[in-house]
PDB file of all heavy atoms in Angstrom:
ATOM      1  N   CYS D 435      27.713 134.281 -55.450  1.00  0.00           N
ATOM      2  CA  CYS D 435      26.318 134.506 -55.079  1.00  0.00           C
ATOM      3  C   CYS D 435      25.395 133.653 -55.948  1.00  0.00           C
ATOM      4  O   CYS D 435      24.406 133.093 -55.459  1.00  0.00           O
ATOM      5  CB  CYS D 435      25.961 135.981 -55.199  1.00  0.00           C
ATOM      6  SG  CYS D 435      24.286 136.365 -54.658  1.00  0.00           S
ATOM      7  N   SER D 436      25.719 133.530 -57.207  1.00  0.00           N
ATOM      8  CA  SER D 436      24.934 132.706 -58.112  1.00  0.00           C
ATOM      9  C   SER D 436      24.919 131.256 -57.638  1.00  0.00           C
ATOM     10  O   SER D 436      23.876 130.596 -57.661  1.00  0.00           O
ATOM     11  CB  SER D 436      25.513 132.799 -59.522  1.00  0.00           C
ATOM     12  OG  SER D 436      24.830 131.967 -60.409  1.00  0.00           O
ATOM     13  N   ASP D 437      26.067 130.753 -57.201  1.00  0.00           N
ATOM     14  CA  ASP D 437      26.132 129.390 -56.655  1.00  0.00           C
ATOM     15  C   ASP D 437      25.247 129.262 -55.423  1.00  0.00           C
ATOM     16  O   ASP D 437      24.540 128.274 -55.249  1.00  0.00           O
ATOM     17  CB  ASP D 437      27.571 129.015 -56.287  1.00  0.00           C
ATOM     18  CG  ASP D 437      28.428 128.643 -57.483  1.00  0.00           C
ATOM     19  OD1 ASP D 437      27.884 128.550 -58.608  1.00  0.00           O
ATOM     20  OD2 ASP D 437      29.647 128.443 -57.298  1.00  0.00           O
ATOM     21  N   ILE D 438      25.300 130.268 -54.563  1.00  0.00           N
ATOM     22  CA  ILE D 438      24.510 130.254 -53.334  1.00  0.00           C
ATOM     23  C   ILE D 438      23.023 130.244 -53.678  1.00  0.00           C
ATOM     24  O   ILE D 438      22.253 129.428 -53.172  1.00  0.00           O
ATOM     25  CB  ILE D 438      24.858 131.457 -52.435  1.00  0.00           C
ATOM     26  CG1 ILE D 438      26.298 131.348 -51.942  1.00  0.00           C
ATOM     27  CG2 ILE D 438      23.889 131.576 -51.270  1.00  0.00           C
ATOM     28  CD1 ILE D 438      26.856 132.631 -51.332  1.00  0.00           C
ATOM     29  N   LYS D 439      22.608 131.141 -54.571  1.00  0.00           N
ATOM     30  CA  LYS D 439      21.201 131.267 -54.944  1.00  0.00           C
ATOM     31  C   LYS D 439      20.678 130.023 -55.658  1.00  0.00           C
ATOM     32  O   LYS D 439      19.493 129.717 -55.593  1.00  0.00           O
ATOM     33  CB  LYS D 439      20.979 132.491 -55.839  1.00  0.00           C
ATOM     34  CG  LYS D 439      21.233 133.808 -55.152  1.00  0.00           C
ATOM     35  CD  LYS D 439      20.089 134.169 -54.277  1.00  0.00           C
ATOM     36  CE  LYS D 439      20.271 135.591 -53.751  1.00  0.00           C
ATOM     37  NZ  LYS D 439      19.199 135.976 -52.879  1.00  0.00           N
ATOM     38  N   SER D 440      21.565 129.309 -56.358  1.00  0.00           N
ATOM     39  CA  SER D 440      21.123 128.121 -57.091  1.00  0.00           C
ATOM     40  C   SER D 440      20.990 126.906 -56.180  1.00  0.00           C
ATOM     41  O   SER D 440      20.561 125.850 -56.627  1.00  0.00           O
ATOM     42  CB  SER D 440      22.071 127.819 -58.250  1.00  0.00           C
ATOM     43  OG  SER D 440      23.331 127.407 -57.770  1.00  0.00           O
ATOM     44  N   GLY D 441      21.358 127.060 -54.905  1.00  0.00           N
ATOM     45  CA  GLY D 441      21.165 125.977 -53.948  1.00  0.00           C
ATOM     46  C   GLY D 441      22.253 124.922 -53.949  1.00  0.00           C
ATOM     47  O   GLY D 441      22.031 123.808 -53.490  1.00  0.00           O
ATOM     48  N   LYS D 442      23.429 125.262 -54.441  1.00  0.00           N
ATOM     49  CA  LYS D 442      24.526 124.305 -54.416  1.00  0.00           C
ATOM     50  C   LYS D 442      24.944 124.053 -52.971  1.00  0.00           C
ATOM     51  O   LYS D 442      24.793 124.919 -52.112  1.00  0.00           O
ATOM     52  CB  LYS D 442      25.711 124.822 -55.239  1.00  0.00           C
ATOM     53  CG  LYS D 442      25.398 124.882 -56.712  1.00  0.00           C
ATOM     54  CD  LYS D 442      26.582 125.337 -57.529  1.00  0.00           C
ATOM     55  CE  LYS D 442      26.191 125.387 -59.001  1.00  0.00           C
ATOM     56  NZ  LYS D 442      27.274 125.877 -59.835  1.00  0.00           N
ATOM     57  N   ASP D 443      25.482 122.854 -52.736  1.00  0.00           N
ATOM     58  CA  ASP D 443      25.895 122.526 -51.375  1.00  0.00           C
ATOM     59  C   ASP D 443      27.136 123.330 -50.986  1.00  0.00           C
ATOM     60  O   ASP D 443      27.874 123.827 -51.841  1.00  0.00           O
ATOM     61  CB  ASP D 443      26.154 121.023 -51.232  1.00  0.00           C
ATOM     62  CG  ASP D 443      27.305 120.548 -52.105  1.00  0.00           C
ATOM     63  OD1 ASP D 443      27.080 120.324 -53.314  1.00  0.00           O
ATOM     64  OD2 ASP D 443      28.425 120.413 -51.585  1.00  0.00           O
ATOM     65  N   ALA D 444      27.350 123.461 -49.687  1.00  0.00           N
ATOM     66  CA  ALA D 444      28.418 124.313 -49.151  1.00  0.00           C
ATOM     67  C   ALA D 444      29.798 123.902 -49.658  1.00  0.00           C
ATOM     68  O   ALA D 444      30.635 124.754 -49.962  1.00  0.00           O
ATOM     69  CB  ALA D 444      28.385 124.299 -47.622  1.00  0.00           C
ATOM     70  N   ALA D 445      30.055 122.597 -49.756  1.00  0.00           N
ATOM     71  CA  ALA D 445      31.365 122.130 -50.225  1.00  0.00           C
ATOM     72  C   ALA D 445      31.615 122.556 -51.667  1.00  0.00           C
ATOM     73  O   ALA D 445      32.727 122.982 -52.017  1.00  0.00           O
ATOM     74  CB  ALA D 445      31.465 120.614 -50.086  1.00  0.00           C
ATOM     75  N   THR D 446      30.600 122.464 -52.509  1.00  0.00           N
ATOM     76  CA  THR D 446      30.733 122.869 -53.913  1.00  0.00           C
ATOM     77  C   THR D 446      30.940 124.371 -54.015  1.00  0.00           C
ATOM     78  O   THR D 446      31.779 124.837 -54.793  1.00  0.00           O
ATOM     79  CB  THR D 446      29.494 122.443 -54.718  1.00  0.00           C
ATOM     80  OG1 THR D 446      29.369 121.019 -54.636  1.00  0.00           O
ATOM     81  CG2 THR D 446      29.591 122.873 -56.167  1.00  0.00           C
ATOM     82  N   ILE D 447      30.191 125.130 -53.236  1.00  0.00           N
ATOM     83  CA  ILE D 447      30.333 126.585 -53.256  1.00  0.00           C
ATOM     84  C   ILE D 447      31.747 126.970 -52.849  1.00  0.00           C
ATOM     85  O   ILE D 447      32.389 127.806 -53.502  1.00  0.00           O
ATOM     86  CB  ILE D 447      29.290 127.253 -52.332  1.00  0.00           C
ATOM     87  CG1 ILE D 447      27.885 127.034 -52.887  1.00  0.00           C
ATOM     88  CG2 ILE D 447      29.584 128.745 -52.173  1.00  0.00           C
ATOM     89  CD1 ILE D 447      26.773 127.428 -51.934  1.00  0.00           C
ATOM     90  N   LYS D 448      32.265 126.349 -51.805  1.00  0.00           N
ATOM     91  CA  LYS D 448      33.618 126.659 -51.333  1.00  0.00           C
ATOM     92  C   LYS D 448      34.658 126.266 -52.383  1.00  0.00           C
ATOM     93  O   LYS D 448      35.581 127.028 -52.661  1.00  0.00           O
ATOM     94  CB  LYS D 448      33.885 125.951 -50.001  1.00  0.00           C
ATOM     95  CG  LYS D 448      35.218 126.329 -49.374  1.00  0.00           C
ATOM     96  CD  LYS D 448      35.353 125.876 -47.934  1.00  0.00           C
ATOM     97  CE  LYS D 448      35.336 124.394 -47.793  1.00  0.00           C
ATOM     98  NZ  LYS D 448      35.674 123.927 -46.448  1.00  0.00           N
ATOM     99  N   LYS D 449      34.490 125.094 -52.998  1.00  0.00           N
ATOM    100  CA  LYS D 449      35.431 124.637 -54.024  1.00  0.00           C
ATOM    101  C   LYS D 449      35.417 125.578 -55.227  1.00  0.00           C
ATOM    102  O   LYS D 449      36.464 125.979 -55.741  1.00  0.00           O
ATOM    103  CB  LYS D 449      35.080 123.211 -54.459  1.00  0.00           C
ATOM    104  CG  LYS D 449      36.019 122.634 -55.508  1.00  0.00           C
ATOM    105  CD  LYS D 449      35.557 121.283 -55.964  1.00  0.00           C
ATOM    106  CE  LYS D 449      34.478 121.520 -56.940  1.00  0.00           C
ATOM    107  NZ  LYS D 449      34.078 120.693 -57.937  1.00  0.00           N
ATOM    108  N   ASN D 450      34.217 125.957 -55.676  1.00  0.00           N
ATOM    109  CA  ASN D 450      34.096 126.878 -56.813  1.00  0.00           C
ATOM    110  C   ASN D 450      34.685 128.251 -56.484  1.00  0.00           C
ATOM    111  O   ASN D 450      35.330 128.884 -57.324  1.00  0.00           O
ATOM    112  CB  ASN D 450      32.637 127.036 -57.235  1.00  0.00           C
ATOM    113  CG  ASN D 450      32.071 125.787 -57.872  1.00  0.00           C
ATOM    114  OD1 ASN D 450      32.795 124.846 -58.185  1.00  0.00           O
ATOM    115  ND2 ASN D 450      30.766 125.761 -58.046  1.00  0.00           N
ATOM    116  N   THR D 451      34.440 128.709 -55.263  1.00  0.00           N
ATOM    117  CA  THR D 451      34.971 130.005 -54.830  1.00  0.00           C
ATOM    118  C   THR D 451      36.494 129.988 -54.859  1.00  0.00           C
ATOM    119  O   THR D 451      37.136 130.923 -55.357  1.00  0.00           O
ATOM    120  CB  THR D 451      34.468 130.345 -53.413  1.00  0.00           C
ATOM    121  OG1 THR D 451      33.047 130.432 -53.455  1.00  0.00           O
ATOM    122  CG2 THR D 451      35.050 131.651 -52.913  1.00  0.00           C
ATOM    123  N   LYS D 452      37.061 128.930 -54.337  1.00  0.00           N
ATOM    124  CA  LYS D 452      38.524 128.804 -54.316  1.00  0.00           C
ATOM    125  C   LYS D 452      39.073 128.838 -55.748  1.00  0.00           C
ATOM    126  O   LYS D 452      40.034 129.555 -56.030  1.00  0.00           O
ATOM    127  CB  LYS D 452      38.900 127.494 -53.619  1.00  0.00           C
ATOM    128  CG  LYS D 452      40.349 127.355 -53.282  1.00  0.00           C
ATOM    129  CD  LYS D 452      40.570 126.096 -52.446  1.00  0.00           C
ATOM    130  CE  LYS D 452      42.020 125.955 -52.070  1.00  0.00           C
ATOM    131  NZ  LYS D 452      42.268 124.766 -51.273  1.00  0.00           N
ATOM    132  N   ALA D 453      38.431 128.112 -56.648  1.00  0.00           N
ATOM    133  CA  ALA D 453      38.884 128.079 -58.045  1.00  0.00           C
ATOM    134  C   ALA D 453      38.738 129.443 -58.718  1.00  0.00           C
ATOM    135  O   ALA D 453      39.595 129.849 -59.504  1.00  0.00           O
ATOM    136  CB  ALA D 453      38.096 127.026 -58.823  1.00  0.00           C
ATOM    137  N   ARG D 454      37.671 130.165 -58.397  1.00  0.00           N
ATOM    138  CA  ARG D 454      37.445 131.476 -59.019  1.00  0.00           C
ATOM    139  C   ARG D 454      38.461 132.516 -58.579  1.00  0.00           C
ATOM    140  O   ARG D 454      38.880 133.355 -59.358  1.00  0.00           O
ATOM    141  CB  ARG D 454      36.046 131.980 -58.659  1.00  0.00           C
ATOM    142  CG  ARG D 454      34.956 131.340 -59.428  1.00  0.00           C
ATOM    143  CD  ARG D 454      33.611 131.953 -59.084  1.00  0.00           C
ATOM    144  NE  ARG D 454      32.574 131.288 -59.839  1.00  0.00           N
ATOM    145  CZ  ARG D 454      31.647 130.519 -59.309  1.00  0.00           C
ATOM    146  NH1 ARG D 454      31.585 130.350 -58.002  1.00  0.00           N
ATOM    147  NH2 ARG D 454      30.760 129.930 -60.079  1.00  0.00           N
ATOM    148  N   PHE D 455      38.819 132.505 -57.314  1.00  0.00           N
ATOM    149  CA  PHE D 455      39.656 133.563 -56.771  1.00  0.00           C
ATOM    150  C   PHE D 455      41.153 133.246 -56.791  1.00  0.00           C
ATOM    151  O   PHE D 455      41.963 134.139 -56.585  1.00  0.00           O
ATOM    152  CB  PHE D 455      39.215 133.912 -55.341  1.00  0.00           C
ATOM    153  CG  PHE D 455      37.996 134.792 -55.287  1.00  0.00           C
ATOM    154  CD1 PHE D 455      36.726 134.247 -55.272  1.00  0.00           C
ATOM    155  CD2 PHE D 455      38.115 136.172 -55.282  1.00  0.00           C
ATOM    156  CE1 PHE D 455      35.595 135.052 -55.227  1.00  0.00           C
ATOM    157  CE2 PHE D 455      36.991 136.990 -55.237  1.00  0.00           C
ATOM    158  CZ  PHE D 455      35.733 136.426 -55.207  1.00  0.00           C
ATOM    159  N   GLU D 456      41.529 131.992 -57.024  1.00  0.00           N
ATOM    160  CA  GLU D 456      42.952 131.655 -57.086  1.00  0.00           C
ATOM    161  C   GLU D 456      43.540 132.070 -58.424  1.00  0.00           C
ATOM    162  O   GLU D 456      42.851 132.122 -59.432  1.00  0.00           O
ATOM    163  CB  GLU D 456      43.157 130.150 -56.901  1.00  0.00           C
ATOM    164  CG  GLU D 456      43.040 129.700 -55.485  1.00  0.00           C
ATOM    165  CD  GLU D 456      43.349 128.217 -55.312  1.00  0.00           C
ATOM    166  OE1 GLU D 456      43.196 127.434 -56.262  1.00  0.00           O
ATOM    167  OE2 GLU D 456      43.745 127.852 -54.193  1.00  0.00           O
ATOM    168  N   GLY D 457      44.841 132.334 -58.413  1.00  0.00           N
ATOM    169  CA  GLY D 457      45.553 132.679 -59.634  1.00  0.00           C
ATOM    170  C   GLY D 457      45.934 134.144 -59.632  1.00  0.00           C
ATOM    171  O   GLY D 457      45.449 134.932 -58.834  1.00  0.00           O
ATOM    172  N   GLY D 458      46.832 134.499 -60.516  1.00  0.00           N
ATOM    173  CA  GLY D 458      47.264 135.901 -60.606  1.00  0.00           C
ATOM    174  C   GLY D 458      47.948 136.361 -59.344  1.00  0.00           C
ATOM    175  O   GLY D 458      48.967 135.817 -58.940  1.00  0.00           O
ATOM    176  N   THR D 459      47.361 137.350 -58.696  1.00  0.00           N
ATOM    177  CA  THR D 459      47.974 137.915 -57.496  1.00  0.00           C
ATOM    178  C   THR D 459      47.774 137.027 -56.271  1.00  0.00           C
ATOM    179  O   THR D 459      48.390 137.265 -55.243  1.00  0.00           O
ATOM    180  CB  THR D 459      47.393 139.314 -57.191  1.00  0.00           C
ATOM    181  OG1 THR D 459      45.977 139.200 -57.058  1.00  0.00           O
ATOM    182  CG2 THR D 459      47.751 140.298 -58.292  1.00  0.00           C
ATOM    183  N   VAL D 460      46.902 136.019 -56.384  1.00  0.00           N
ATOM    184  CA  VAL D 460      46.667 135.078 -55.285  1.00  0.00           C
ATOM    185  C   VAL D 460      46.864 133.665 -55.835  1.00  0.00           C
ATOM    186  O   VAL D 460      45.912 133.035 -56.303  1.00  0.00           O
ATOM    187  CB  VAL D 460      45.239 135.235 -54.705  1.00  0.00           C
ATOM    188  CG1 VAL D 460      45.043 134.307 -53.525  1.00  0.00           C
ATOM    189  CG2 VAL D 460      44.969 136.670 -54.305  1.00  0.00           C
ATOM    190  N   PRO D 461      48.096 133.159 -55.774  1.00  0.00           N
ATOM    191  CA  PRO D 461      48.363 131.853 -56.372  1.00  0.00           C
ATOM    192  C   PRO D 461      47.564 130.707 -55.740  1.00  0.00           C
ATOM    193  O   PRO D 461      47.194 129.765 -56.425  1.00  0.00           O
ATOM    194  CB  PRO D 461      49.852 131.633 -56.160  1.00  0.00           C
ATOM    195  CG  PRO D 461      50.407 132.910 -55.672  1.00  0.00           C
ATOM    196  CD  PRO D 461      49.284 133.765 -55.224  1.00  0.00           C
ATOM    197  N   SER D 462      47.307 130.798 -54.442  1.00  0.00           N
ATOM    198  CA  SER D 462      46.531 129.739 -53.796  1.00  0.00           C
ATOM    199  C   SER D 462      45.800 130.295 -52.578  1.00  0.00           C
ATOM    200  O   SER D 462      46.217 131.281 -51.976  1.00  0.00           O
ATOM    201  CB  SER D 462      47.435 128.579 -53.380  1.00  0.00           C
ATOM    202  OG  SER D 462      48.351 129.004 -52.399  1.00  0.00           O
ATOM    203  N   LEU D 463      44.690 129.641 -52.270  1.00  0.00           N
ATOM    204  CA  LEU D 463      43.890 130.000 -51.104  1.00  0.00           C
ATOM    205  C   LEU D 463      43.696 128.759 -50.244  1.00  0.00           C
ATOM    206  O   LEU D 463      43.631 127.647 -50.765  1.00  0.00           O
ATOM    207  CB  LEU D 463      42.507 130.505 -51.532  1.00  0.00           C
ATOM    208  CG  LEU D 463      42.426 131.856 -52.210  1.00  0.00           C
ATOM    209  CD1 LEU D 463      41.038 132.072 -52.794  1.00  0.00           C
ATOM    210  CD2 LEU D 463      42.743 132.965 -51.215  1.00  0.00           C
ATOM    211  N   THR D 464      43.563 128.971 -48.952  1.00  0.00           N
ATOM    212  CA  THR D 464      43.234 127.864 -48.062  1.00  0.00           C
ATOM    213  C   THR D 464      41.725 127.656 -48.092  1.00  0.00           C
ATOM    214  O   THR D 464      40.966 128.523 -48.554  1.00  0.00           O
ATOM    215  CB  THR D 464      43.686 128.164 -46.625  1.00  0.00           C
ATOM    216  OG1 THR D 464      42.912 129.261 -46.122  1.00  0.00           O
ATOM    217  CG2 THR D 464      45.176 128.483 -46.548  1.00  0.00           C
TER     218      THR D 464
END
């Protein structure tokens, strides 16, 4: 949400989201 509110572009938001949620119980995301 912070990325969204700061006005980052959609590709960056998606890339950051993928990096934040991957790992542990979710080794990789599409």
Side-chain angles (χ1 to χ4, degrees):
C435 184
S436 177
D437 282 353
I438 294 166
K439 294 282 188 181
S440 68
K442 293 182 181 177
D443 63 279
T446 300
I447 293 170
K448 186 167 64 171
K449 181 184 80 155
N450 290 350
T451 299
K452 192 173 181 180
R454 283 184 181 112
F455 281 88
E456 283 184 335
T459 57
V460 183
S462 64
L463 289 169
T464 66

